[in-house]
Amino acid sequence: MKRFTCILLLFAGVLAQAQVRTYSENASKTFVVGLDSFFYGDAGSLSFEAAGQSFQASKGADGVFVGGQRLGSDGDVVIGIHDFTGDRVPEFVMAQRLENAIGLWIYSLDGGAWSPLKMMSVRGTKEVRIFRQVVSVRQGETLCSWTWHGDKFDFKASDGSAEPNLP
């Protein structure tokens, strides 16, 4: 029975999906891994659909815009989409690399406009990982995660610390 269980667990482990960097994430050297679609660079755009509407997100010297609505500043910014809430309507994600931190803003479509759903920031990190309903960041030896549950993101740190504040 032990042998069968070991073989079954080994087989399940081989078939399990791991989160790895995609070719475009490696090629662009982005600091956010796991977005459904994204743009990272000095200036460019991203087209996507949400709730049956078409949107154009753009990043340039004037900042970050989605459908004409200004959501962020310029600088080292990633823009993208990901469905955290599981309602098949993607949320808009903007991440900015600061001197010693990464800030992440998640916006949801509310009545045709993009409203902040969650803002988070972690100092001393180089990369944000997104997988299903979870945003995770390694801060030194501590793993910080924000998980979507029902109607909000819940925070948990592997060392039991409190949620970091925005810089």
Side-chain angles (χ1 to χ4, degrees):
M1 185 63 176
K2 282 184 180 180
R3 188 173 302 181
F4 175 74
T5 303
C6 287
I7 291 171
L8 181 65
L9 289 174
L10 179 63
F11 185 67
V14 168
L15 295 178
Q17 292 182 348
Q19 185 183 21
V20 296
R21 284 183 162 272
T22 65
Y23 173 78
S24 59
E25 289 167 339
N26 281 331
S28 69
K29 296 181 173 63
T30 183
F31 55 94
V32 179
V33 176
L35 290 170
D36 297 339
S37 184
F38 72 95
F39 173 79
Y40 179 58
D42 293 333
S45 64
L46 175 70
S47 298
F48 64 97
E49 288 192 17
Q53 299 177 49
S54 294
F55 289 95
Q56 179 84 17
S58 63
K59 178 192 178 285
D62 296 336
V64 174
F65 292 84
V66 179
Q69 181 181 353
R70 188 173 196 273
L71 296 181
S73 62
D74 59 348
D76 198 11
V77 175
V78 174
I79 59 174
I81 58 169
H82 186 79
D83 184 9
F84 291 98
T85 59
D87 61 0
R88 296 185 182 174
V89 176
E91 283 70 45
F92 179 75
V93 178
M94 183 181 73
Q96 185 170 22
R97 185 172 16 209
L98 306 169
E99 188 174 317
N100 190 27
I102 293 178
L104 186 86
W105 295 263
I106 301 172
Y107 296 89
S108 64
L109 187 59
D110 184 18
W114 294 93
S115 302
L117 183 62
K118 181 66 179 172
M119 293 177 256
M120 53 193 81
S121 178
V122 179
R123 294 184 187 279
T125 190
K126 295 181 181 182
E127 187 174 82
V128 173
R129 290 194 173 257
I130 295 172
F131 186 68
R132 296 189 179 138
Q133 282 79 28
V134 180
V135 175
S136 61
V137 178
R138 184 158 298 281
Q139 184 181 33
E141 295 296 314
T142 303
L143 178 63
C144 300
S145 65
W146 291 262
T147 305
W148 180 261
H149 288 121
D151 62 349
K152 65 183 175 82
F153 281 93
D154 294 324
F155 175 77
K156 185 172 185 176
S158 61
D159 67 356
S161 61
E163 183 171 3
N165 294 323
L166 288 172

